[in-house]
Amino acid sequence: MRLLPGRADLAAVRRAPRKDLFAGLTVAVAALPLSIGFGVATGLGARAGLVTAVLAGGLVAVLGGARLQITGPSGVVAVVLAPIAQEHGAAGVLTTGLLAGVVLLGLALTRASRYARWVPAPVVKGFVLGAAVVIVAQQIPPALGRTVPHGEAVAAAAARAAADFVAEPHWPALLTALATAAVSLVGARLRPAVPFPLLAIAAATVVAGVAHLPLARIGHLPTGLPAPSAGFPVPSEVPALLPAAVTLAVLVALESLMTAAAADALSGTERHDGQRVLFGQGVANLVVPFFGGVAATGTMCRTAINVRSGAASQLAALTNAAALALVVWSAAPLVSTVPLAALAGVLIATALRMIDLAALRALGRVGRGQAGIAALTGALTLAVNLVTAVATGIVLAMVLALRTVAATARVEHVWIPAWVPVQGAPPLDARAPAPDAPSAPDPTAVPGPPDAQISVHRFAGPLLFTTADRVLRTVLRSRAQVVVLDLGRVTGLDSTAMLTLAEVIDHHARRGAVVHLSGVRDTHRLHLDALGVLAKLPAPGALFETADDAVAQAHQRNRPLAATTSPEEPLPHPQN
């Protein structure tokens, strides 16, 4: 029941219906050519893309956990499904989408979305930046009056279009794109409540028709939606299609969750439910194949248009789906006359508004590493793909985090002569660390043997594989007869640090010194015992609660003179 819509969703729909209607209509105009294009790219045709945009968009709007997200066919999906269409035909594409829906439902029910919270903020910002650059690059060819060869990379297609424009300019297309982009940007700043992108496209369509401008149009659209059919699954091909279905499900889950997080960041007020996001995508991808649609996912471009157009609830996504359905049924001839250059201008304006310069500058002030991760994630989103970009960004963020954590690990050295303390001697916390030379003789103590020196090494912070060698091996330089290793302020201890600790104990044991451990936590003690580290300590009495207890025990072992002196006899004077 938690995955189904509740009262909060109904209350959100009533929040700002006028804004939602305008935003949904604006998204529908931009989503129409994208849905057609991605449907063709998968190999199933324009109708498959429109069916996906209508059905999946409506289902996810009702069941999904990101109120401002728009769902439909995308480039990521097309990359996975195009080879399947060539090898297994339309039935293979539909079966793959159906299997991906099952996997997505499994991810939703196992709460896999919680792992998306580990995606660092620089990676999300970099993904949004990369998605904006990808959108701009995708729209450069139609903005310059050029067509893109099927299968050509986005950056290469943009560069080729720019070179062709220089050789043979197409000014009507460029001026139309610039005009619609300018109206969208300026209008959004002056009157955010007015759907200027929609007005700009309508005006461009009228001007292009009256002036007979040589502009490429959307062209013929199929009418109507196909009847549902369950005759496509071929059980014998399921094993061969399952790897692609799992890959597709992971891509859909990642792109949908990343888009939902980006929508939250763009809106500044929303917070998505990752489990419901995956549930909505799973249900949509289960239903759509029966109507001949391709797999769907949350789309960054259309979601950004939705947010920047003033959407306040899932009513905007429902409006988008309803508007596309209306186009399919009755307005296909009218929409077919819209210039592609006008659509390109609106999409470019939307992409520019997606880029949060203030957030990127803030990351730069935090440190070069954070800004570098965002920049690299954005570049890989454009040059490679979303999965590679996000995975690389997360790995680099983890490395940077480990480096930051490692820098907090440290050790303090306190050197103590083997004086037998008397009442009133200060505890270790009151002693100043002296890493380079032994401390001065304590005037409140009685001397023991002159060679019975004690060194205390107090560790703090995490002792992990990144810090163990640097911090622990400093103890090897000690030449004291008693070495106290205090772990009371250690926040983390992994197996590498424990084995390095064992090497330190062995080193001092070989030279005849005694090693005491203090402040060992119960969880660390279990692991130290399992790895055989505690067995290397001299028995009995090598583990102490505090470093002061360990030092007191060391003093007790090094007081032969005091042990043979009666209580009535005076203590001997310090030796020079």
Side-chain angles (χ1 to χ4, degrees):
M1 294 298 296
R2 180 186 176 280
L3 298 176
L4 298 178
R7 294 182 179 179
D9 297 293
L10 295 177
V13 169
R14 303 189 190 100
R15 190 184 306 164
R18 182 180 177 184
K19 289 184 177 180
D20 286 331
L21 292 173
F22 281 149
L25 291 174
T26 303
V27 174
V29 174
L32 185 62
L34 295 177
S35 301
I36 294 172
F38 290 137
V40 173
T42 59
L44 265 64
R47 175 176 290 190
L50 290 173
V51 167
T52 302
V54 173
L55 295 181
L59 287 170
V60 174
V62 175
L63 300 175
R67 292 172 179 165
L68 306 183
Q69 188 177 63
I70 302 295
T71 294
S74 72
V76 173
V77 170
V79 170
V80 177
L81 295 181
I84 296 175
Q86 296 176 359
E87 185 175 353
H88 299 276
V93 173
L94 299 178
T95 303
T96 302
L98 182 67
L99 294 174
V102 175
V103 176
L104 286 167
L105 283 180
L107 293 176
L109 296 176
T110 56
R111 300 177 182 270
S113 62
R114 62 180 179 267
Y115 298 111
R117 300 172 185 172
W118 296 357
V119 180
V123 177
V124 176
K125 297 297 183 183
F127 164 67
V128 175
L129 175 63
V133 176
V134 169
I135 293 168
V136 172
Q138 286 176 338
Q139 301 309 312
I140 286 178
L144 299 178
R146 299 296 188 272
T147 58
V148 180
H150 179 68
E152 187 170 6
V154 173
R160 181 189 295 274
D164 292 344
F165 182 85
V166 172
E168 187 180 350
H170 192 290
W171 296 111
L174 178 60
L175 293 176
T176 300
L178 291 177
T180 53
V183 170
S184 300
L185 290 172
V186 175
R189 180 176 292 273
L190 297 178
R191 295 289 184 87
V194 178
F196 279 99
L198 186 61
L199 297 177
I201 289 176
T205 303
V206 172
V207 172
V210 172
H212 302 287
L213 296 178
L215 296 174
R217 313 302 173 96
I218 289 179
H220 174 72
L221 295 177
T223 58
L225 297 177
S229 173
F232 63 89
V234 181
S236 60
E237 293 188 355
V238 169
L241 296 173
L242 190 58
V246 173
T247 301
L248 180 62
V250 172
L251 288 171
V252 170
L254 181 58
E255 187 169 16
S256 298
L257 292 172
M258 291 291 293
T259 301
D264 294 346
L266 289 173
S267 67
T269 57
E270 291 294 325
R271 184 173 179 82
H272 71 278
D273 184 334
Q275 190 179 6
R276 286 186 60 191
V277 168
L278 296 184
F279 178 74
Q281 296 293 338
V283 172
N285 282 284
L286 274 178
V287 173
V288 165
F290 292 100
F291 291 85
V294 298
T297 182
T299 58
M300 188 63 226
C301 174
R302 280 154 274 184
T303 299
I305 295 174
N306 191 42
V307 176
R308 291 308 189 193
S309 298
S313 73
Q314 57 270 45
L315 179 60
L318 285 171
T319 303
N320 165 66
L324 290 175
L326 182 64
V327 168
V328 171
W329 284 104
S330 60
L334 179 62
V335 176
S336 64
T337 61
V338 173
L340 293 178
L343 291 174
V346 170
L347 294 178
I348 290 173
T350 301
L352 294 177
R353 295 178 63 200
M354 286 169 54
I355 301 175
D356 191 348
L357 294 177
L360 295 176
R361 284 195 294 266
L363 289 177
R365 289 193 294 269
V366 170
R368 296 180 181 177
Q370 302 290 325
I373 290 172
L376 182 60
T377 303
L380 290 177
T381 301
L382 172 64
V384 189
N385 56 54
L386 169 66
V387 176
T388 302
V390 173
T392 304
I394 291 175
V395 170
L396 290 178
M398 292 174 62
V399 172
L400 187 63
L402 283 175
R403 183 180 176 183
T404 303
V405 170
T408 64
R410 63 189 186 278
V411 59
E412 295 177 354
H413 305 274
V414 180
W415 298 81
I416 305 172
W419 304 92
V420 180
V422 296
Q423 193 173 16
L428 281 175
D429 285 334
R431 301 173 186 260
D436 298 323
S439 302
D442 190 340
T444 63
V446 176
D451 62 342
Q453 193 180 33
I454 304 170
S455 67
V456 180
H457 305 266
R458 312 192 70 176
F459 302 98
L463 295 182
L464 309 174
F465 68 95
T466 55
T467 59
D469 189 77
R470 173 177 63 85
V471 175
L472 286 174
R473 290 190 183 278
T474 60
V475 185
L476 297 178
R477 295 195 296 267
S478 175
R479 293 295 178 264
Q481 291 300 308
V482 179
V483 179
V484 178
L485 306 179
D486 182 39
L487 307 181
R489 290 182 291 175
V490 171
T491 56
L493 196 64
D494 68 358
S495 59
T496 301
M498 294 179 188
L499 294 176
T500 305
L501 190 63
E503 294 179 14
V504 172
I505 296 173
D506 286 338
H507 167 79
H508 289 295
R510 285 194 298 269
R511 67 179 188 84
V514 176
V515 178
H516 293 332
L517 288 182
S518 65
V520 181
R521 300 182 182 183
D522 292 338
T523 54
H524 296 162
R525 183 178 301 183
L526 292 175
H527 297 154
L528 288 169
D529 190 30
L531 289 175
V533 179
L534 299 184
K536 297 179 179 295
L537 297 173
L543 279 177
F544 298 90
E545 291 294 326
T546 66
D548 289 300
D549 294 340
V551 171
Q553 177 64 25
H555 281 140
Q556 288 296 112
R557 290 182 177 180
N558 293 312
R559 54 181 303 182
L561 295 177
T564 58
T565 304
S566 64
E568 292 78 17
E569 295 176 336
L571 293 173
H573 294 287
Q575 299 177 359
N576 294 328

